[in-house]
Amino acid sequence: MPATRLTLPSPAKLNLMLHILGRREDGYHELQTLFQFLDYGDEITFAVRDDGVIRLHTEFEGVPHDSNLIVKAAKKLQEQSGCSLGIDIWIEKILPMGGGIGGGSSNAATTLLGLNHLWQLGWDEDRLAALGLTLGADVPVFVRGHAAFAEGVGEKLTPVDPEEPWYVVLVPQVSVSTAEIFSDPLLTRNSSPIKVRPVPKGNSRNDCLPVVTRRYPDVRNALNLLGKFTEAKLTGTGSCVFGGFPSKAEADKVSALLTETLTGFVAKGSNVSMLHRKLQGLL
Ligand SMILES: C[C@@](CO)(OP(=O)(O)O)[C@H](O)COP(=O)(O)OP(=O)(O)OC[C@H]1O[C@@H](n2ccc(N)nc2=O)[C@H](O)[C@@H]1O
Ligand SMILES: Nc1ncnc2c1ncn2[C@@H]1O[C@H](COP(=O)(O)OP(=O)(O)O)[C@@H](O)[C@H]1O
């Protein structure tokens, strides 16, 4: 009997570097970025229904049911596959929204992979990634599940294997709108392209940083505080900032000091997403 219920992880990502090369005619920006996953994220539970209804039972503050990327992903997959089954969905949400750690995109990808499995659609990764791209620029990397150097708007992915340190991630209590940062006239948009190999080292810059720190003093403060212990970086368009450490013990020590006044967590960097590790275990 095929499974009718499944709980899957929905991990966060970091952008280890992010360069903006230019702006396309449709307003989207050409990027070069390095994605790595964290062994840290939400958990989504799916239960098949036979009446075709798609229902997310967990409420999100400020996100109406039908605007939730989980629901959008499920509806698109149902429409495009012609599947007559439906789904009940619950999520344990721990990833901050608008934090630049890709929670919404990750939730969408976990939904696509989870429903492909439960509805037994047999879609391959290319097809799921293409559908994912219509939901958000960051969805394809979560569908593929391997750390990657990304180009285009984030959809041209080359798998890479950077070091996997322990990270301290600080979560300033502000939600940064990606669209707002990309529309700032002061954003650097003319970085020169770099080569995928050798894999860019962890010390590459994030072109969004000057604009984000000017608009959000809390992000600047978090960068300054973490920067006392290690190189502190911004992920995506923020708000989260992160720094790597060679061991969990060192990351825990710094986190304990900083989380007296700031919100944050410690997580291991991972080149294979924990979603894919779990799915491989199911096959
Ligand atoms: C910048 C990145 C880097 O990982 O991260 P986040 O900080 O959002 O996580 C992403 O590429 C974001 O991807 P995602 O969050 O899926 O963006 P989308 O929903 O597709 O786009 C939100 C808005 O940002 C702008 N946008 C986004 C991506 C891009 N390459 N160029 C853009 O100009 C567009 O104005 C778009 O309307
Ligand atoms: N399932 C979801 N999880 C998080 N955010 C979602 C979700 N569905 C829709 N959103 C919307 O997407 C926005 C960006 O969320 P998220 O992907 O978590 O941030 P970021 O891309 O900065 O990491 C949120 O502010 C929220 O309005």
Side-chain angles (χ1 to χ4, degrees):
M1 262 260 294
T4 58
R5 199 183 170 91
L6 187 59
T7 297
L8 292 174
S10 187
K13 59 83 178 163
L14 295 176
N15 297 94
L16 303 186
M17 46 73 67
L18 192 158
H19 297 175
I20 304 175
L21 309 189
R23 185 162 32 181
R24 302 193 316 198
E25 293 214 332
D26 63 2
Y28 265 77
H29 289 75
E30 295 275 352
L31 310 176
Q32 284 189 321
T33 187
L34 188 55
F35 286 112
Q36 188 177 51
F37 304 103
L38 293 177
D39 280 349
Y40 184 86
D42 304 330
E43 218 172 53
I44 311 185
T45 297
F46 304 95
V48 175
R49 5 186 337 153
D50 53 18
D51 60 2
V53 171
I54 287 168
R55 176 149 309 137
L56 173 63
H57 294 268
T58 315
E59 281 193 21
F60 280 54
E61 214 185 298
V63 185
H65 183 270
D66 288 353
S67 307
N68 197 299
L69 284 162
I70 296 172
V71 175
K72 285 187 167 178
K75 287 201 167 153
K76 274 206 170 174
L77 187 64
Q78 189 189 46
E79 268 164 35
Q80 294 188 17
S81 66
C83 182
S84 62
L85 296 170
I87 201 82
D88 283 314
I89 309 173
W90 298 264
I91 177 166
E92 225 170 280
K93 187 85 192 157
I94 63 165
L95 297 178
M97 297 204 283
I101 54 177
S105 308
S106 176
N107 291 171
T110 294
T111 303
L112 293 176
L113 294 178
L115 297 190
N116 186 43
H117 184 83
L118 285 172
W119 288 346
Q120 298 188 283
L121 303 177
W123 278 34
D124 64 18
E125 220 173 77
D126 288 350
R127 212 169 161 197
L128 291 166
L131 192 161
L133 183 61
T134 68
L135 295 161
D138 278 356
V139 181
V141 72
F142 286 107
V143 167
R144 302 214 179 257
H146 202 287
F149 186 74
E151 297 175 275
V153 297
E155 83 292 6
K156 288 181 207 149
L157 297 168
T158 306
V160 289
D161 287 286
E163 285 166 17
E164 297 176 324
W166 284 87
Y167 291 107
V168 171
V169 181
L170 295 178
V171 186
Q173 299 300 292
V174 289
S175 177
V176 177
S177 149
T178 301
E180 175 201 309
I181 300 306
F182 276 113
S183 62
D184 192 308
L186 294 180
L187 187 69
T188 297
R189 297 186 166 85
N190 59 355
S191 286
S192 304
I194 59 166
K195 289 210 174 74
V196 183
R197 294 192 197 283
V199 174
K201 275 281 180 200
N203 61 4
S204 304
R205 68 182 188 280
N206 180 333
D207 282 338
C208 299
L209 186 130
V211 166
V212 174
T213 50
R214 194 170 39 81
R215 285 173 178 255
Y216 297 93
D218 287 355
V219 176
R220 191 167 59 230
N221 182 43
L223 282 163
N224 287 340
L225 290 173
L226 184 57
K228 295 195 163 101
F229 302 94
T230 186
E231 190 195 359
K233 295 198 282 184
L234 180 77
T235 176
T237 53
S239 60
C240 292
V241 309
F242 65 96
F245 294 87
S247 70
K248 180 171 188 304
E250 283 165 82
D252 280 340
K253 206 163 78 185
V254 170
S255 173
L257 290 171
L258 293 176
T259 54
E260 279 178 12
T261 51
L262 298 167
T263 304
F265 60 88
V266 167
K268 177 97 164 63
S270 168
N271 293 336
V272 178
S273 117
M274 56 183 185
L275 168 63
H276 288 69
R277 300 203 305 267
K278 169 119 193 214
L279 283 169
Q280 270 151 24
L282 294 177
L283 296 177

Short mmCIF file of all heavy atoms in Angstrom, two decimals, residues 133-186:
data_model
loop_
_atom_site.label_atom_id
_atom_site.label_comp_id
_atom_site.label_asym_id
_atom_site.label_seq_id
_atom_site.Cartn_x
_atom_site.Cartn_y
_atom_site.Cartn_z
N LEU A 133 10.37 27.19 -10.16
CA LEU A 133 10.86 28.51 -10.57
C LEU A 133 9.71 29.49 -10.79
O LEU A 133 9.85 30.69 -10.58
CB LEU A 133 11.71 28.37 -11.84
CG LEU A 133 12.36 29.64 -12.37
CD1 LEU A 133 13.34 30.23 -11.35
CD2 LEU A 133 13.09 29.36 -13.68
N THR A 134 8.54 28.98 -11.18
CA THR A 134 7.39 29.87 -11.38
C THR A 134 6.84 30.37 -10.03
O THR A 134 6.06 31.31 -9.98
CB THR A 134 6.25 29.19 -12.17
OG1 THR A 134 5.69 28.14 -11.35
CG2 THR A 134 6.74 28.61 -13.48
N LEU A 135 7.27 29.73 -8.93
CA LEU A 135 6.83 30.15 -7.59
C LEU A 135 7.82 31.10 -6.93
O LEU A 135 7.46 31.90 -6.09
CB LEU A 135 6.64 28.91 -6.70
CG LEU A 135 5.54 27.95 -7.12
CD1 LEU A 135 5.74 26.59 -6.47
CD2 LEU A 135 4.18 28.52 -6.75
N GLY A 136 9.09 31.00 -7.30
CA GLY A 136 10.12 31.87 -6.70
C GLY A 136 11.49 31.49 -7.21
O GLY A 136 11.74 30.31 -7.49
N ALA A 137 12.38 32.49 -7.28
CA ALA A 137 13.71 32.27 -7.85
C ALA A 137 14.54 31.28 -7.03
O ALA A 137 15.44 30.62 -7.56
CB ALA A 137 14.44 33.60 -7.94
N ASP A 138 14.23 31.16 -5.74
CA ASP A 138 15.03 30.28 -4.87
C ASP A 138 14.48 28.86 -4.78
O ASP A 138 15.10 28.01 -4.14
CB ASP A 138 15.03 30.85 -3.44
CG ASP A 138 16.06 31.94 -3.26
OD1 ASP A 138 16.81 32.21 -4.21
OD2 ASP A 138 16.12 32.50 -2.16
N VAL A 139 13.34 28.60 -5.39
CA VAL A 139 12.73 27.27 -5.20
C VAL A 139 13.55 26.13 -5.85
O VAL A 139 13.73 25.07 -5.25
CB VAL A 139 11.25 27.27 -5.66
CG1 VAL A 139 10.61 25.89 -5.45
CG2 VAL A 139 10.45 28.33 -4.93
N PRO A 140 14.09 26.35 -7.09
CA PRO A 140 14.79 25.22 -7.74
C PRO A 140 15.93 24.62 -6.92
O PRO A 140 16.09 23.39 -6.89
CB PRO A 140 15.31 25.84 -9.05
CG PRO A 140 14.32 26.93 -9.36
CD PRO A 140 13.94 27.50 -8.02
N VAL A 141 16.72 25.43 -6.22
CA VAL A 141 17.85 24.84 -5.48
C VAL A 141 17.33 23.94 -4.35
O VAL A 141 17.93 22.90 -4.05
CB VAL A 141 18.82 25.93 -4.95
CG1 VAL A 141 18.25 26.73 -3.81
CG2 VAL A 141 20.15 25.29 -4.54
N PHE A 142 16.20 24.30 -3.76
CA PHE A 142 15.63 23.44 -2.72
C PHE A 142 15.06 22.16 -3.32
O PHE A 142 15.06 21.11 -2.68
CB PHE A 142 14.53 24.19 -1.96
CG PHE A 142 15.03 25.23 -1.00
CD1 PHE A 142 14.89 26.58 -1.28
CD2 PHE A 142 15.65 24.87 0.19
CE1 PHE A 142 15.35 27.55 -0.40
CE2 PHE A 142 16.12 25.83 1.08
CZ PHE A 142 15.96 27.17 0.78
N VAL A 143 14.55 22.24 -4.55
CA VAL A 143 14.04 21.03 -5.22
C VAL A 143 15.19 20.08 -5.51
O VAL A 143 15.10 18.87 -5.31
CB VAL A 143 13.30 21.40 -6.53
CG1 VAL A 143 13.04 20.16 -7.38
CG2 VAL A 143 11.98 22.11 -6.22
N ARG A 144 16.33 20.64 -5.94
CA ARG A 144 17.46 19.78 -6.32
C ARG A 144 18.21 19.26 -5.11
O ARG A 144 18.77 18.17 -5.13
CB ARG A 144 18.38 20.52 -7.26
CG ARG A 144 17.62 20.97 -8.53
CD ARG A 144 18.49 20.94 -9.73
NE ARG A 144 17.75 21.35 -10.91
CZ ARG A 144 17.31 20.51 -11.83
NH1 ARG A 144 17.51 19.20 -11.71
NH2 ARG A 144 16.66 20.95 -12.89
N GLY A 145 18.28 20.09 -4.06
CA GLY A 145 18.80 19.57 -2.78
C GLY A 145 20.30 19.45 -2.66
O GLY A 145 20.77 18.76 -1.76
N HIS A 146 21.06 20.08 -3.57
CA HIS A 146 22.51 20.05 -3.43
C HIS A 146 23.05 21.48 -3.43
O HIS A 146 22.57 22.31 -4.20
CB HIS A 146 23.16 19.24 -4.56
CG HIS A 146 24.53 18.75 -4.16
ND1 HIS A 146 25.62 19.58 -4.07
CD2 HIS A 146 24.97 17.53 -3.77
CE1 HIS A 146 26.67 18.89 -3.66
NE2 HIS A 146 26.31 17.64 -3.46
N ALA A 147 24.02 21.75 -2.57
CA ALA A 147 24.65 23.07 -2.54
C ALA A 147 25.05 23.44 -3.96
O ALA A 147 25.49 22.58 -4.73
CB ALA A 147 25.88 23.06 -1.64
N ALA A 148 24.91 24.72 -4.32
CA ALA A 148 25.10 25.06 -5.73
C ALA A 148 25.57 26.49 -5.92
O ALA A 148 25.25 27.38 -5.13
CB ALA A 148 23.79 24.85 -6.49
N PHE A 149 26.32 26.66 -7.00
CA PHE A 149 26.64 27.99 -7.50
C PHE A 149 25.50 28.31 -8.45
O PHE A 149 25.23 27.55 -9.38
CB PHE A 149 27.98 27.94 -8.23
CG PHE A 149 28.49 29.27 -8.67
CD1 PHE A 149 29.01 30.18 -7.76
CD2 PHE A 149 28.48 29.62 -10.01
CE1 PHE A 149 29.49 31.42 -8.17
CE2 PHE A 149 28.96 30.86 -10.44
CZ PHE A 149 29.46 31.76 -9.50
N ALA A 150 24.82 29.44 -8.22
CA ALA A 150 23.64 29.74 -9.02
C ALA A 150 23.86 30.98 -9.87
O ALA A 150 24.46 31.95 -9.41
CB ALA A 150 22.44 29.95 -8.11
N GLU A 151 23.39 30.92 -11.10
CA GLU A 151 23.45 32.07 -12.01
C GLU A 151 22.07 32.33 -12.60
O GLU A 151 21.12 31.63 -12.27
CB GLU A 151 24.49 31.77 -13.10
CG GLU A 151 25.89 31.60 -12.50
CD GLU A 151 26.93 31.18 -13.52
OE1 GLU A 151 27.05 29.96 -13.77
OE2 GLU A 151 27.60 32.05 -14.04
N GLY A 152 21.99 33.30 -13.50
CA GLY A 152 20.67 33.71 -13.99
C GLY A 152 19.97 34.42 -12.84
O GLY A 152 20.57 35.20 -12.12
N VAL A 153 18.67 34.10 -12.62
CA VAL A 153 18.02 34.67 -11.43
C VAL A 153 18.11 33.67 -10.28
O VAL A 153 17.44 33.83 -9.26
CB VAL A 153 16.55 35.07 -11.69
CG1 VAL A 153 16.47 36.17 -12.73
CG2 VAL A 153 15.70 33.87 -12.10
N GLY A 154 18.93 32.67 -10.46
CA GLY A 154 19.10 31.66 -9.41
C GLY A 154 18.72 30.27 -9.91
O GLY A 154 18.78 29.31 -9.15
N GLU A 155 18.36 30.17 -11.19
CA GLU A 155 17.86 28.90 -11.70
C GLU A 155 18.93 28.06 -12.41
O GLU A 155 18.75 26.86 -12.59
CB GLU A 155 16.64 29.12 -12.61
CG GLU A 155 16.91 29.51 -14.06
CD GLU A 155 17.53 30.91 -14.25
OE1 GLU A 155 17.86 31.57 -13.26
OE2 GLU A 155 17.72 31.30 -15.41
N LYS A 156 20.03 28.70 -12.82
CA LYS A 156 21.11 27.93 -13.47
C LYS A 156 22.04 27.45 -12.39
O LYS A 156 22.83 28.22 -11.83
CB LYS A 156 21.89 28.83 -14.46
CG LYS A 156 21.12 29.16 -15.71
CD LYS A 156 21.98 30.02 -16.63
CE LYS A 156 21.08 30.89 -17.50
NZ LYS A 156 21.70 32.17 -17.84
N LEU A 157 21.95 26.17 -12.08
CA LEU A 157 22.62 25.65 -10.88
C LEU A 157 23.77 24.72 -11.23
O LEU A 157 23.59 23.78 -12.03
CB LEU A 157 21.61 24.91 -10.01
CG LEU A 157 20.46 25.76 -9.46
CD1 LEU A 157 19.36 24.88 -8.87
CD2 LEU A 157 20.98 26.72 -8.40
N THR A 158 24.92 24.97 -10.63
CA THR A 158 26.05 24.04 -10.75
C THR A 158 26.33 23.50 -9.35
O THR A 158 26.68 24.29 -8.45
CB THR A 158 27.31 24.79 -11.26
OG1 THR A 158 26.97 25.47 -12.46
CG2 THR A 158 28.45 23.82 -11.51
N PRO A 159 26.19 22.18 -9.15
CA PRO A 159 26.43 21.64 -7.80
C PRO A 159 27.87 21.87 -7.37
O PRO A 159 28.78 21.73 -8.18
CB PRO A 159 26.16 20.14 -7.96
CG PRO A 159 25.41 20.00 -9.23
CD PRO A 159 25.80 21.15 -10.11
N VAL A 160 28.07 22.25 -6.11
CA VAL A 160 29.41 22.47 -5.57
C VAL A 160 29.45 21.89 -4.15
O VAL A 160 28.40 21.58 -3.56
CB VAL A 160 29.78 23.97 -5.50
CG1 VAL A 160 30.02 24.54 -6.88
CG2 VAL A 160 28.71 24.77 -4.78
N ASP A 161 30.67 21.74 -3.64
CA ASP A 161 30.81 21.18 -2.29
C ASP A 161 31.72 22.04 -1.42
O ASP A 161 32.86 21.67 -1.14
CB ASP A 161 31.37 19.74 -2.38
CG ASP A 161 30.30 18.79 -2.89
OD1 ASP A 161 29.39 18.47 -2.12
OD2 ASP A 161 30.36 18.42 -4.08
N PRO A 162 31.22 23.20 -0.99
CA PRO A 162 32.03 24.01 -0.08
C PRO A 162 32.20 23.32 1.28
O PRO A 162 31.53 22.31 1.55
CB PRO A 162 31.22 25.30 0.06
CG PRO A 162 29.83 24.97 -0.33
CD PRO A 162 29.90 23.78 -1.25
N GLU A 163 33.09 23.88 2.11
CA GLU A 163 33.23 23.37 3.49
C GLU A 163 31.88 23.42 4.19
O GLU A 163 31.04 24.24 3.85
CB GLU A 163 34.21 24.26 4.26
CG GLU A 163 35.65 24.04 3.87
CD GLU A 163 36.53 25.15 4.41
OE1 GLU A 163 36.11 25.89 5.32
OE2 GLU A 163 37.65 25.28 3.87
N GLU A 164 31.73 22.57 5.21
CA GLU A 164 30.46 22.53 5.94
C GLU A 164 30.68 22.90 7.41
O GLU A 164 30.68 22.04 8.29
CB GLU A 164 29.83 21.13 5.84
CG GLU A 164 29.46 20.74 4.41
CD GLU A 164 28.94 19.30 4.32
OE1 GLU A 164 29.45 18.43 5.06
OE2 GLU A 164 28.03 19.07 3.51
N PRO A 165 30.90 24.20 7.67
CA PRO A 165 31.16 24.59 9.07
C PRO A 165 29.88 24.61 9.91
O PRO A 165 28.78 24.38 9.40
CB PRO A 165 31.70 26.02 8.91
CG PRO A 165 31.11 26.53 7.66
CD PRO A 165 30.88 25.35 6.77
N TRP A 166 30.06 24.88 11.18
CA TRP A 166 28.93 25.19 12.05
C TRP A 166 28.69 26.69 11.97
O TRP A 166 29.66 27.46 12.02
CB TRP A 166 29.23 24.78 13.49
CG TRP A 166 29.13 23.29 13.66
CD1 TRP A 166 30.13 22.38 13.45
CD2 TRP A 166 27.98 22.55 14.04
NE1 TRP A 166 29.66 21.11 13.67
CE2 TRP A 166 28.34 21.19 14.05
CE3 TRP A 166 26.66 22.90 14.39
CZ2 TRP A 166 27.44 20.18 14.38
CZ3 TRP A 166 25.77 21.89 14.72
CH2 TRP A 166 26.15 20.55 14.71
N TYR A 167 27.45 27.08 11.83
CA TYR A 167 27.15 28.51 11.72
C TYR A 167 26.41 29.04 12.94
O TYR A 167 25.54 28.34 13.49
CB TYR A 167 26.25 28.77 10.50
CG TYR A 167 26.93 28.55 9.17
CD1 TYR A 167 26.62 27.42 8.40
CD2 TYR A 167 27.87 29.45 8.68
CE1 TYR A 167 27.23 27.21 7.16
CE2 TYR A 167 28.49 29.25 7.45
CZ TYR A 167 28.16 28.13 6.70
OH TYR A 167 28.78 27.93 5.49
N VAL A 168 26.76 30.26 13.31
CA VAL A 168 25.88 31.03 14.20
C VAL A 168 25.06 31.92 13.28
O VAL A 168 25.62 32.63 12.43
CB VAL A 168 26.69 31.91 15.18
CG1 VAL A 168 25.76 32.86 15.94
CG2 VAL A 168 27.47 31.03 16.16
N VAL A 169 23.74 31.83 13.39
CA VAL A 169 22.85 32.67 12.58
C VAL A 169 22.11 33.61 13.52
O VAL A 169 21.47 33.14 14.48
CB VAL A 169 21.84 31.81 11.78
CG1 VAL A 169 20.94 32.70 10.92
CG2 VAL A 169 22.56 30.77 10.93
N LEU A 170 22.24 34.90 13.29
CA LEU A 170 21.49 35.87 14.10
C LEU A 170 20.27 36.33 13.32
O LEU A 170 20.33 36.50 12.09
CB LEU A 170 22.38 37.07 14.45
CG LEU A 170 23.58 36.75 15.35
CD1 LEU A 170 24.41 38.01 15.60
CD2 LEU A 170 23.14 36.15 16.69
N VAL A 171 19.17 36.51 14.03
CA VAL A 171 17.89 36.84 13.40
C VAL A 171 17.40 38.20 13.90
O VAL A 171 16.63 38.26 14.86
CB VAL A 171 16.84 35.74 13.72
CG1 VAL A 171 15.55 35.98 12.95
CG2 VAL A 171 17.38 34.34 13.48
N PRO A 172 17.86 39.30 13.27
CA PRO A 172 17.33 40.61 13.68
C PRO A 172 15.81 40.61 13.51
O PRO A 172 15.29 40.04 12.54
CB PRO A 172 18.01 41.58 12.69
CG PRO A 172 19.23 40.86 12.22
CD PRO A 172 18.85 39.40 12.20
N GLN A 173 15.14 41.25 14.45
CA GLN A 173 13.67 41.16 14.45
C GLN A 173 13.04 42.14 13.46
O GLN A 173 12.18 42.95 13.82
CB GLN A 173 13.14 41.37 15.87
CG GLN A 173 13.65 40.30 16.84
CD GLN A 173 13.25 38.89 16.43
OE1 GLN A 173 12.06 38.56 16.48
NE2 GLN A 173 14.19 38.06 16.02
N VAL A 174 13.48 42.07 12.21
CA VAL A 174 12.89 42.86 11.14
C VAL A 174 12.73 41.95 9.93
O VAL A 174 13.55 41.05 9.72
CB VAL A 174 13.75 44.08 10.73
CG1 VAL A 174 13.75 45.13 11.81
CG2 VAL A 174 15.19 43.67 10.40
N SER A 175 11.66 42.16 9.18
CA SER A 175 11.44 41.38 7.97
C SER A 175 11.85 42.25 6.79
O SER A 175 11.35 43.36 6.63
CB SER A 175 9.95 41.01 7.90
OG SER A 175 9.71 40.31 6.73
N VAL A 176 12.79 41.78 5.98
CA VAL A 176 13.26 42.57 4.84
C VAL A 176 12.55 42.10 3.59
O VAL A 176 12.53 40.90 3.28
CB VAL A 176 14.79 42.42 4.66
CG1 VAL A 176 15.27 43.19 3.45
CG2 VAL A 176 15.54 42.90 5.91
N SER A 177 11.96 43.04 2.86
CA SER A 177 11.30 42.68 1.61
C SER A 177 12.34 42.59 0.50
O SER A 177 13.06 43.56 0.22
CB SER A 177 10.23 43.74 1.28
OG SER A 177 10.09 43.85 -0.12
N THR A 178 12.42 41.42 -0.16
CA THR A 178 13.39 41.22 -1.24
C THR A 178 13.14 42.24 -2.35
O THR A 178 14.08 42.84 -2.89
CB THR A 178 13.25 39.78 -1.79
OG1 THR A 178 13.47 38.88 -0.70
CG2 THR A 178 14.25 39.48 -2.89
N ALA A 179 11.87 42.46 -2.69
CA ALA A 179 11.53 43.39 -3.78
C ALA A 179 12.01 44.80 -3.45
O ALA A 179 12.51 45.52 -4.33
CB ALA A 179 10.02 43.37 -4.00
N GLU A 180 11.89 45.20 -2.18
CA GLU A 180 12.30 46.55 -1.77
C GLU A 180 13.81 46.74 -1.97
O GLU A 180 14.26 47.76 -2.49
CB GLU A 180 11.92 46.72 -0.29
CG GLU A 180 12.38 48.00 0.34
CD GLU A 180 12.44 47.88 1.87
OE1 GLU A 180 11.45 47.44 2.50
OE2 GLU A 180 13.49 48.21 2.44
N ILE A 181 14.59 45.74 -1.59
CA ILE A 181 16.06 45.87 -1.73
C ILE A 181 16.44 45.90 -3.21
O ILE A 181 17.26 46.71 -3.64
CB ILE A 181 16.77 44.70 -1.00
CG1 ILE A 181 16.42 44.71 0.50
CG2 ILE A 181 18.29 44.76 -1.23
CD1 ILE A 181 16.69 46.03 1.22
N PHE A 182 15.79 45.04 -4.01
CA PHE A 182 16.16 45.00 -5.43
C PHE A 182 15.70 46.25 -6.20
O PHE A 182 16.14 46.48 -7.32
CB PHE A 182 15.62 43.73 -6.10
CG PHE A 182 16.52 42.55 -5.91
CD1 PHE A 182 16.14 41.47 -5.14
CD2 PHE A 182 17.78 42.52 -6.50
CE1 PHE A 182 16.98 40.37 -4.96
CE2 PHE A 182 18.64 41.45 -6.32
CZ PHE A 182 18.24 40.37 -5.56
N SER A 183 14.81 47.04 -5.59
CA SER A 183 14.38 48.24 -6.31
C SER A 183 15.12 49.49 -5.81
O SER A 183 14.87 50.60 -6.29
CB SER A 183 12.87 48.42 -6.20
OG SER A 183 12.53 48.58 -4.85
N ASP A 184 16.04 49.34 -4.86
CA ASP A 184 16.77 50.50 -4.34
C ASP A 184 17.73 51.03 -5.41
O ASP A 184 18.55 50.27 -5.94
CB ASP A 184 17.55 50.08 -3.08
CG ASP A 184 18.11 51.29 -2.33
OD1 ASP A 184 18.77 52.13 -2.96
OD2 ASP A 184 17.85 51.40 -1.12
N PRO A 185 17.65 52.34 -5.72
CA PRO A 185 18.52 52.88 -6.78
C PRO A 185 20.00 52.77 -6.45
O PRO A 185 20.84 52.76 -7.35
CB PRO A 185 18.10 54.36 -6.87
CG PRO A 185 17.13 54.61 -5.78
CD PRO A 185 16.71 53.32 -5.17
N LEU A 186 20.34 52.65 -5.16
CA LEU A 186 21.77 52.61 -4.79
C LEU A 186 22.38 51.20 -4.85
O LEU A 186 23.56 51.02 -4.59
CB LEU A 186 21.95 53.17 -3.37
CG LEU A 186 21.64 54.65 -3.21
CD1 LEU A 186 21.86 55.10 -1.77
CD2 LEU A 186 22.48 55.50 -4.17
#
